[in-house]
Amino acid sequence: MAVRPPPAALAARFRIERPFTEGATGSLYYATDNATGKNGLLKVVYAAAQVTPSERARLVRELEKLSSLGHAGLASPSITGVDGDVPWLFRENIEGESLAARLGRGPLPQPDALAVAAQIAAALDELHRAGLLQRDLSPSHVILREGTSPPRVVLIDSGLAARIPAGALFEVTCKPSYVSP
């Protein structure tokens, strides 16, 4: 999968090590923050350039609020910004396996499944208390940290979801197969 190059303006702040992946909302890169020396993932939210200015402003506000949270179950950005019409965020690279990949090998043992569900609920509670929504809760956005038993959960991409055209009456921001009825 080809990953778009990051905006040139971000090169002053980050040293791009290599592309990570291209998703529905943007591109991710392994990067180093030149100001702090920290390694992590830089996400450039290209999909934000395709939405209304008010929707883009909402996304920027939510990313800023998310960066103020310190919950262990959330991959909160350490810094966010905007380059033109394109928001970006920098966060820790969460080492582990997605819940989707883990479930592809079979079900979790019941005690682990209960622990994972409780941790997801705790992370969602933290988001909701801050007035934020996850918007794209799916097994691919639940990371199980390596080397922990029971698995330690981290939710990634909170607040980021691709917009789905739903007709002239309203728009939906979510992953269709995981949206609430």
PDB file of all heavy atoms in Angstrom, residues 117-131:
ATOM      1  N   ALA A 117     -12.650  -6.544  27.706  1.00  0.00           N
ATOM      2  CA  ALA A 117     -13.906  -5.789  27.664  1.00  0.00           C
ATOM      3  C   ALA A 117     -13.934  -4.712  28.753  1.00  0.00           C
ATOM      4  O   ALA A 117     -14.351  -3.568  28.506  1.00  0.00           O
ATOM      5  CB  ALA A 117     -15.095  -6.730  27.810  1.00  0.00           C
ATOM      6  N   ALA A 118     -13.485  -5.048  29.949  1.00  0.00           N
ATOM      7  CA  ALA A 118     -13.472  -4.076  31.049  1.00  0.00           C
ATOM      8  C   ALA A 118     -12.524  -2.911  30.749  1.00  0.00           C
ATOM      9  O   ALA A 118     -12.850  -1.748  31.034  1.00  0.00           O
ATOM     10  CB  ALA A 118     -13.069  -4.764  32.357  1.00  0.00           C
ATOM     11  N   GLN A 119     -11.377  -3.206  30.151  1.00  0.00           N
ATOM     12  CA  GLN A 119     -10.424  -2.139  29.825  1.00  0.00           C
ATOM     13  C   GLN A 119     -10.946  -1.245  28.702  1.00  0.00           C
ATOM     14  O   GLN A 119     -10.729  -0.026  28.722  1.00  0.00           O
ATOM     15  CB  GLN A 119      -9.078  -2.742  29.446  1.00  0.00           C
ATOM     16  CG  GLN A 119      -8.358  -3.395  30.620  1.00  0.00           C
ATOM     17  CD  GLN A 119      -7.103  -4.086  30.158  1.00  0.00           C
ATOM     18  OE1 GLN A 119      -6.165  -3.427  29.739  1.00  0.00           O
ATOM     19  NE2 GLN A 119      -7.096  -5.402  30.208  1.00  0.00           N
ATOM     20  N   ILE A 120     -11.608  -1.834  27.714  1.00  0.00           N
ATOM     21  CA  ILE A 120     -12.215  -1.030  26.645  1.00  0.00           C
ATOM     22  C   ILE A 120     -13.263  -0.103  27.252  1.00  0.00           C
ATOM     23  O   ILE A 120     -13.309   1.089  26.947  1.00  0.00           O
ATOM     24  CB  ILE A 120     -12.821  -1.934  25.548  1.00  0.00           C
ATOM     25  CG1 ILE A 120     -11.717  -2.658  24.774  1.00  0.00           C
ATOM     26  CG2 ILE A 120     -13.692  -1.115  24.597  1.00  0.00           C
ATOM     27  CD1 ILE A 120     -12.219  -3.746  23.832  1.00  0.00           C
ATOM     28  N   ALA A 121     -14.096  -0.652  28.146  1.00  0.00           N
ATOM     29  CA  ALA A 121     -15.137   0.161  28.789  1.00  0.00           C
ATOM     30  C   ALA A 121     -14.514   1.298  29.599  1.00  0.00           C
ATOM     31  O   ALA A 121     -15.009   2.433  29.568  1.00  0.00           O
ATOM     32  CB  ALA A 121     -16.020  -0.716  29.670  1.00  0.00           C
ATOM     33  N   ALA A 122     -13.427   1.034  30.300  1.00  0.00           N
ATOM     34  CA  ALA A 122     -12.765   2.080  31.101  1.00  0.00           C
ATOM     35  C   ALA A 122     -12.197   3.178  30.208  1.00  0.00           C
ATOM     36  O   ALA A 122     -12.305   4.371  30.539  1.00  0.00           O
ATOM     37  CB  ALA A 122     -11.663   1.455  31.965  1.00  0.00           C
ATOM     38  N   ALA A 123     -11.600   2.799  29.083  1.00  0.00           N
ATOM     39  CA  ALA A 123     -11.051   3.801  28.154  1.00  0.00           C
ATOM     40  C   ALA A 123     -12.176   4.631  27.543  1.00  0.00           C
ATOM     41  O   ALA A 123     -12.067   5.856  27.426  1.00  0.00           O
ATOM     42  CB  ALA A 123     -10.216   3.123  27.069  1.00  0.00           C
ATOM     43  N   LEU A 124     -13.279   3.972  27.162  1.00  0.00           N
ATOM     44  CA  LEU A 124     -14.425   4.703  26.616  1.00  0.00           C
ATOM     45  C   LEU A 124     -15.030   5.634  27.660  1.00  0.00           C
ATOM     46  O   LEU A 124     -15.428   6.764  27.345  1.00  0.00           O
ATOM     47  CB  LEU A 124     -15.478   3.732  26.086  1.00  0.00           C
ATOM     48  CG  LEU A 124     -15.092   2.933  24.847  1.00  0.00           C
ATOM     49  CD1 LEU A 124     -16.159   1.896  24.528  1.00  0.00           C
ATOM     50  CD2 LEU A 124     -14.843   3.849  23.664  1.00  0.00           C
ATOM     51  N   ASP A 125     -15.079   5.196  28.913  1.00  0.00           N
ATOM     52  CA  ASP A 125     -15.591   6.039  29.991  1.00  0.00           C
ATOM     53  C   ASP A 125     -14.740   7.305  30.114  1.00  0.00           C
ATOM     54  O   ASP A 125     -15.277   8.406  30.277  1.00  0.00           O
ATOM     55  CB  ASP A 125     -15.607   5.259  31.306  1.00  0.00           C
ATOM     56  CG  ASP A 125     -16.183   6.064  32.443  1.00  0.00           C
ATOM     57  OD1 ASP A 125     -17.337   6.537  32.336  1.00  0.00           O
ATOM     58  OD2 ASP A 125     -15.476   6.237  33.463  1.00  0.00           O
ATOM     59  N   GLU A 126     -13.440   7.169  30.027  1.00  0.00           N
ATOM     60  CA  GLU A 126     -12.549   8.343  30.096  1.00  0.00           C
ATOM     61  C   GLU A 126     -12.832   9.304  28.948  1.00  0.00           C
ATOM     62  O   GLU A 126     -12.904  10.518  29.148  1.00  0.00           O
ATOM     63  CB  GLU A 126     -11.084   7.893  30.060  1.00  0.00           C
ATOM     64  CG  GLU A 126     -10.081   9.021  30.087  1.00  0.00           C
ATOM     65  CD  GLU A 126      -9.967   9.720  31.434  1.00  0.00           C
ATOM     66  OE1 GLU A 126     -10.519   9.219  32.429  1.00  0.00           O
ATOM     67  OE2 GLU A 126      -9.314  10.783  31.480  1.00  0.00           O
ATOM     68  N   LEU A 127     -12.989   8.767  27.747  1.00  0.00           N
ATOM     69  CA  LEU A 127     -13.323   9.616  26.601  1.00  0.00           C
ATOM     70  C   LEU A 127     -14.651  10.330  26.811  1.00  0.00           C
ATOM     71  O   LEU A 127     -14.764  11.538  26.599  1.00  0.00           O
ATOM     72  CB  LEU A 127     -13.404   8.785  25.316  1.00  0.00           C
ATOM     73  CG  LEU A 127     -12.099   8.349  24.674  1.00  0.00           C
ATOM     74  CD1 LEU A 127     -12.386   7.400  23.520  1.00  0.00           C
ATOM     75  CD2 LEU A 127     -11.297   9.533  24.206  1.00  0.00           C
ATOM     76  N   HIS A 128     -15.655   9.594  27.236  1.00  0.00           N
ATOM     77  CA  HIS A 128     -16.992  10.174  27.404  1.00  0.00           C
ATOM     78  C   HIS A 128     -17.007  11.228  28.496  1.00  0.00           C
ATOM     79  O   HIS A 128     -17.665  12.261  28.354  1.00  0.00           O
ATOM     80  CB  HIS A 128     -18.015   9.074  27.672  1.00  0.00           C
ATOM     81  CG  HIS A 128     -18.175   8.135  26.524  1.00  0.00           C
ATOM     82  ND1 HIS A 128     -18.872   6.956  26.624  1.00  0.00           N
ATOM     83  CD2 HIS A 128     -17.712   8.185  25.249  1.00  0.00           C
ATOM     84  CE1 HIS A 128     -18.851   6.325  25.457  1.00  0.00           C
ATOM     85  NE2 HIS A 128     -18.148   7.053  24.613  1.00  0.00           N
ATOM     86  N   ARG A 129     -16.268  11.015  29.583  1.00  0.00           N
ATOM     87  CA  ARG A 129     -16.180  12.023  30.648  1.00  0.00           C
ATOM     88  C   ARG A 129     -15.562  13.326  30.134  1.00  0.00           C
ATOM     89  O   ARG A 129     -15.858  14.397  30.640  1.00  0.00           O
ATOM     90  CB  ARG A 129     -15.387  11.493  31.836  1.00  0.00           C
ATOM     91  CG  ARG A 129     -16.112  10.442  32.635  1.00  0.00           C
ATOM     92  CD  ARG A 129     -15.191   9.873  33.721  1.00  0.00           C
ATOM     93  NE  ARG A 129     -15.804   8.768  34.383  1.00  0.00           N
ATOM     94  CZ  ARG A 129     -16.536   8.869  35.482  1.00  0.00           C
ATOM     95  NH1 ARG A 129     -16.738  10.038  36.036  1.00  0.00           N
ATOM     96  NH2 ARG A 129     -17.054   7.791  36.037  1.00  0.00           N
ATOM     97  N   ALA A 130     -14.695  13.206  29.129  1.00  0.00           N
ATOM     98  CA  ALA A 130     -14.060  14.387  28.535  1.00  0.00           C
ATOM     99  C   ALA A 130     -14.910  14.988  27.415  1.00  0.00           C
ATOM    100  O   ALA A 130     -14.516  15.967  26.793  1.00  0.00           O
ATOM    101  CB  ALA A 130     -12.675  14.015  27.990  1.00  0.00           C
ATOM    102  N   GLY A 131     -16.072  14.373  27.146  1.00  0.00           N
ATOM    103  CA  GLY A 131     -16.947  14.874  26.090  1.00  0.00           C
ATOM    104  C   GLY A 131     -16.522  14.449  24.699  1.00  0.00           C
ATOM    105  O   GLY A 131     -16.878  15.092  23.716  1.00  0.00           O
TER     106      GLY A 131
END
